[in-house]
Amino acid sequence: MAPTITKNVTKTQQDESITFEWTVVDRVYEYRATTFTKRQLRPHETTWNPRVGEVAQYAFNRERLENERDALIFIARNTTIPVPRFIKWSDDNGVASLTMEKLDGRLMSWLMEDVLDVKLTTEEKATLQRNVNLFIENIVLPQLQKLRSSTMGQLGRVLFSHPEVSQADSRFAKAPPAIQAAIECYQYSHNDLATHNIVIKPDSLDVLCLIDWEYSGFFPPGFEVPFWRCQHPKWNAKGEWLDQNGVPLDFESRRAMLRAPANKGPKRGLPIAHPFAYMLGGFLSWIKTHVNRALLFLLKETKLISTEPGETHSMWRSLMERQTLM
């Protein structure tokens, strides 16, 4: 997710390597010659949000870092999608940090918004956008969609999503447990494929790698929001994300996908999204009914029970009660 509040910027020179430290709402970013580290804030580094009367931070602070650590390893092992190489995870008195390889590229958002010394022409920006569209839609998404799970949520078995999607759902005040289905119906999604998370080779305008996998996880098909197709600037006066045609992105349908397992679902614990669950249940019920009827017929034919009024055998009563309950 893009940083929104900058608190301090420091530069230090140590043994010919430059460390650049950037502090935002709930993260510290540390850039070194060959590595990049993101970590949680220490207690003395936090800022106070007077509007809500609490420390300013995004939800799922530690869970997001743990999820990105797991995602970098998972994506590198199971796809050819370029991601930074995971180097180290550490926990210093409850302050988690994730260190990965630093790649020499430029964020797509910087190139499109002319915030660097590299200035692109209108034609070059169109080429860049076309390259990104083709890369994500022809290479990234098909590979992610092949990664499937029967559990909706993050790799750490919790469930949270991009704040634009989950902000209207009170269930996400804390990360709930992941949702289980009977079949592998959920696909892997990055969930924040915005231009500030796409690293570009400035010489060729091709994609170098995708970063910031904090919100990634297994979600229903079609859950991936096309942030990479947003225009620049990304928002209108109402704060809505706009695509390249100026149309607001659809977050409500994604919210509905998250709410559906909680508000709807088959009875008797039948698995969510199982296409044959109801048919199978009905077939088994039919078998039980006809087996009982056949057993009753055999008992009558062998004279083990009486069909005369007032002489009904106890076994007959028991079977009739079972038949009634089914």
Side-chain angles (χ1 to χ4, degrees):
M1 185 172 181
T4 57
I5 299 176
T6 301
K7 204 171 77 171
N8 59 63
V9 176
T10 61
K11 294 183 180 179
T12 60
Q13 183 78 30
Q14 295 179 348
D15 301 329
E16 297 182 354
S17 64
I18 298 178
T19 298
F20 178 80
E21 187 178 275
W22 185 12
T23 304
V24 295
V25 174
D26 61 351
R27 289 280 186 271
V28 172
Y29 300 137
E30 299 173 349
Y31 297 84
R32 293 181 173 82
T34 60
T35 64
F36 167 68
T37 299
K38 54 167 58 177
R39 67 168 172 83
Q40 293 178 286
L41 299 182
R42 297 187 175 93
H44 70 275
E45 295 171 322
T46 58
T47 57
W48 187 258
N49 187 338
R51 291 189 303 170
V52 296
E54 61 184 26
V55 172
Q57 63 178 344
Y58 292 117
F60 321 123
N61 191 314
R62 185 184 180 94
E63 292 93 338
R64 288 188 282 117
L65 268 184
E66 292 174 339
N67 187 56
E68 180 164 18
R69 172 200 62 195
D70 298 341
L72 291 178
I73 298 171
F74 178 72
I75 294 298
R77 287 178 177 175
N78 294 283
T79 74
T80 61
I81 299 170
V83 297
R85 179 174 55 88
F86 166 75
I87 295 178
K88 182 177 68 174
W89 172 266
S90 64
D91 188 322
D92 181 14
N93 294 321
V95 177
S97 65
L98 169 64
T99 300
M100 65 192 78
E101 173 188 22
K102 183 172 77 69
L103 299 172
D104 187 17
R106 302 291 186 273
L107 296 183
M108 179 183 178
S109 58
W110 293 353
L111 294 172
M112 297 295 281
E113 297 168 14
D114 297 325
V115 298
L116 294 174
D117 53 349
V118 179
K119 305 295 182 181
L120 301 184
T121 65
T122 301
E123 292 75 15
E124 287 173 330
K125 290 180 180 179
T127 299
L128 171 57
Q129 185 68 63
R130 184 167 56 252
N131 291 347
V132 169
N133 292 348
L134 291 173
F135 178 78
I136 291 180
E137 293 163 14
N138 294 344
I139 296 177
V140 176
L141 296 184
Q143 292 192 67
L144 293 182
Q145 290 164 3
K146 290 180 181 179
L147 303 175
R148 291 181 169 266
S149 175
S150 59
T151 303
M152 182 168 76
Q154 275 61 39
L155 294 168
R157 298 289 175 149
V158 294
L159 174 59
F160 56 85
S161 183
H162 191 283
E164 291 287 352
V165 175
S166 59
Q167 63 183 357
D169 195 332
S170 60
R171 291 189 303 139
F172 293 89
K174 293 183 179 180
I179 294 175
Q180 190 72 32
I183 61 174
E184 295 184 339
C185 56
Y186 302 118
Q187 302 173 349
Y188 206 78
S189 301
H190 182 286
N191 286 336
D192 196 7
L193 276 176
T195 56
H196 55 261
N197 291 327
I198 302 172
V199 182
I200 302 296
K201 303 174 184 176
D203 54 344
S204 65
L205 300 182
D206 291 325
V207 176
L208 176 62
C209 68
L210 302 180
I211 62 173
D212 203 352
W213 292 77
E214 292 189 7
Y215 290 102
S216 64
F218 291 99
F219 291 88
F223 193 79
E224 191 81 72
V225 180
F227 289 115
W228 66 91
R229 285 187 170 273
C230 283
Q231 64 180 20
H232 299 273
K234 307 178 185 70
W235 304 277
N236 60 13
K238 298 179 180 179
E240 297 172 314
W241 288 70
L242 303 177
D243 65 17
Q244 292 165 321
N245 299 316
V247 178
L249 296 183
D250 176 20
F251 294 111
E252 186 53 41
S253 65
R254 275 80 178 182
R255 293 175 188 139
M257 292 180 188
L258 294 178
R259 289 193 297 264
N263 298 335
K264 301 177 182 179
K267 298 179 180 179
R268 293 190 175 182
L270 288 176
I272 297 170
H274 198 305
F276 302 109
Y278 290 110
M279 294 176 59
L280 179 60
F283 179 65
L284 292 176
S285 178
W286 181 87
I287 291 177
K288 290 179 181 178
T289 300
H290 285 77
V291 166
N292 281 337
R293 289 178 179 174
L295 180 59
L296 292 174
F297 176 79
L298 290 174
L299 289 173
K300 287 191 294 183
E301 290 296 317
T302 55
K303 308 299 183 181
L304 291 177
I305 62 174
S306 171
T307 58
E308 295 299 324
E311 299 181 5
T312 303
H313 194 277
S314 61
M315 182 181 292
W316 170 262
R317 290 199 304 272
S318 175
L319 288 171
M320 286 299 294
E321 289 171 358
R322 287 183 57 197
Q323 180 70 24
T324 303
L325 292 174
M326 299 188 68

